[in-house]
């Protein structure tokens, strides 16, 4: 079976780390384009380099945008991922080096060179928005776009109650991308919560795994403690779920095609993903909203990524 061909835009990040491990276990990864988000760009680029060292593959790392398009972010995710984005473990300086090419230019070049790429967006959409503004033909060159972001009924995870972090960090970028791409797969925060892993079962995978499991157990402590404090049960693996959908679309057992837009102005709702569930606006559907996946197959993909 031919491996999926992936280009990953990400802001590593603990759950991004698991997703990147999954991608290298199941697909060919043509690059990691990096944005600020969970933590600042200096940390996210270094974390990507650390992951490249871990997987032992020469995946290029392209530094991208250090800030959102318009407004400075109101919050980051240091309290979830640690000050360095990988649980403040204190890993040594990675040997993998970042490329000189900017992430936006890399997205445009790689999608021209590799016409069957699936683009997987795991963080704020700043790099992708700039890329599509520079080259409006980009959406026609991408085989699929899979986005981890949004909260389709308003159960967000930011200070703006309905907003999810990735979209809320740079709403203008999300607006640009949602308007530019005729169709994309959306893996939102709410479906992630419905597909958390049992804690005890996940611990067994970590114990049975190889050096990748050891690494993930080290970095996951801060996020795990935060989720427990917030009353979130199970192992919540947001970017890993989006990656599973990107690797194998057949894992989706239920989806809804709807028009999704991004709120840019609301005092309490900026960054919210607004879904036209009943077709009242008369606009074309632009998103395949993932509602359910095969949990056993999702788990098997994660286990393989951990070497378990």
């Amino acid at each position: 079976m031919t491996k999926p061909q992936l280009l990953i835009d990400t802001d590593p990040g603990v759950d991004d780390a698991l997703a990147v491990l999954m991608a290298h276990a199941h697909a060919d990864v043509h690059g990691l384009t990096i944005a600020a988000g969970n933590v600042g760009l200096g940390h996210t680029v270094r974390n990507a380099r650390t992951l490249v060292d871990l997987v032992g593959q020469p995946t290029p790392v392209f530094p991208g945008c250090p800030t959102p398009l318009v407004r400075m972010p109101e919050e980051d995710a240091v309290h979830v991922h640690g000050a360095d984005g990988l649980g403040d473990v204190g890993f040594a300086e990675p040997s993998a080096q970042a490329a000189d090419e900017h992430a936006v230019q890399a997205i445009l070049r790689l999608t021209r060179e590799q016409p069957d790429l699936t683009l997987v967006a795991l963080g704020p959409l700043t790099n992708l928005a700039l890329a599509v503004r520079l080259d409006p033909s980009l959406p026609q060159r991408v085989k699929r776009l899979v986005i981890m972001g949004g909260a389709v009924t308003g159960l967000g995870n930011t200070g703006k109650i309905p907003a999810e972090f990735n979209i809320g960090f740079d709403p203008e970028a999300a607006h640009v991308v949602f308007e530019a791409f005729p169709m994309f797969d959306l893996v939102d925060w709410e479906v992630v919560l419905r597909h958390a892993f049992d804690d005890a079962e996940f611990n067994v995978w970590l114990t049975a795994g190889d050096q990748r499991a050891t690494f993930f157990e080290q970095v996951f402590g801060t996020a795990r403690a935060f989720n427990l404090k917030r009353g979130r049960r199970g192992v919540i693996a947001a970017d890993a779920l989006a990656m599973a959908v990107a690797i194998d679309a057949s894992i989706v057992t239920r989806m809804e095609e709807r028009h999704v837009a991004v709120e840019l102005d609301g005092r309490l709702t900026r960054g919210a993903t607004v879904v036209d569930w009943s077709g009242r606006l008369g606009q074309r559907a632009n998103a395949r909203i993932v509602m359910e996946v095969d949990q056993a197959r999702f788990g098997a993909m994660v286990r393989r990524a951990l070497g378990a």
Side-chain angles (χ1 to χ4, degrees):
M1 184 176 178
T2 304
K3 283 187 174 183
Q5 307 297 308
L6 305 182
L7 176 59
I8 304 169
D9 192 69
T10 179
D11 61 334
V14 173
D15 56 333
D16 305 74
L18 181 56
V20 170
L21 295 181
M22 290 175 64
H24 284 87
H26 296 275
D28 291 330
V29 182
H30 292 258
L32 302 175
T33 57
I34 310 302
N38 287 319
V39 289
L41 186 66
H43 286 305
T44 56
V45 170
R46 177 183 168 128
N47 294 346
R49 293 166 53 217
T50 296
L51 289 166
V52 169
D53 279 359
L54 178 63
V55 298
Q57 297 181 30
T59 305
V61 173
F62 302 100
C65 298
T67 63
L69 291 182
V70 179
R71 300 189 198 177
M72 291 302 293
E74 297 182 15
E75 58 186 292
D76 57 23
V78 166
H79 54 293
V80 180
H81 298 269
D84 69 354
L86 286 180
D88 295 324
V89 174
F91 295 108
E93 178 69 17
S95 61
Q97 296 299 304
D100 291 333
E101 186 177 18
H102 193 279
V104 173
Q105 296 297 339
I107 290 169
L108 297 177
R109 176 179 60 81
L110 288 168
T111 55
R112 292 188 189 106
E113 295 174 355
Q114 188 78 30
D116 60 343
L117 281 180
T118 292
L119 184 54
V120 192
L122 303 178
L125 295 171
T126 316
N127 290 332
L128 190 50
L130 282 178
V132 82
R133 281 292 193 246
L134 283 172
D135 184 354
S137 70
L138 172 64
Q140 283 68 56
R141 295 200 304 275
V142 174
K143 181 178 180 181
R144 290 172 65 210
L145 170 61
V146 180
I147 296 173
M148 192 281 124
V152 297
T153 66
L155 184 62
N157 60 351
T158 71
K160 302 291 187 184
I161 295 171
E164 175 274 334
F165 178 81
N166 285 343
I167 305 302
F169 189 90
D170 194 346
E172 281 77 16
H175 168 75
V176 169
V177 172
F178 283 25
E179 293 249 311
F181 278 77
M183 183 62 72
F184 54 88
D185 294 351
L186 186 67
V187 179
D188 85 310
W189 176 244
E190 296 170 26
V191 73
V192 166
L193 293 177
R194 293 196 296 273
H195 290 84
F197 294 114
D198 177 78
D199 280 293
E201 184 179 16
F202 197 85
N203 288 340
V204 171
W205 302 347
L206 292 176
T207 301
D210 58 19
Q211 76 278 2
R212 294 167 291 179
T214 301
F215 170 88
F216 192 72
E217 185 172 24
Q218 287 179 293
V219 304
F220 190 42
T222 300
R224 206 169 196 180
F226 174 81
N227 286 331
L228 186 63
K229 185 178 179 180
R230 293 295 296 268
R232 296 172 182 160
R233 300 185 61 83
V235 174
I236 299 167
D239 293 332
L241 182 58
M243 186 58 69
V245 171
I247 292 166
D248 184 358
S250 72
I251 197 173
V252 178
T253 58
R254 186 165 70 91
M255 52 79 69
E256 298 284 350
E257 289 193 3
R258 295 290 188 275
H259 182 80
V260 183
V262 180
E263 173 59 50
L264 301 180
D265 301 314
R267 181 174 64 87
L268 298 177
T269 58
R270 175 172 160 79
T273 40
V274 182
V275 181
D276 185 7
W277 288 109
S278 56
R280 292 163 60 187
L281 300 179
Q283 299 191 59
R284 62 168 178 80
N286 62 345
R288 290 181 289 259
I289 303 169
V290 175
M291 305 299 291
E292 301 289 341
V293 306
D294 185 323
Q295 185 74 359
R297 290 174 62 190
F298 177 31
M301 295 170 77
V302 171
R303 290 198 305 274
R304 179 175 172 184
L306 296 172

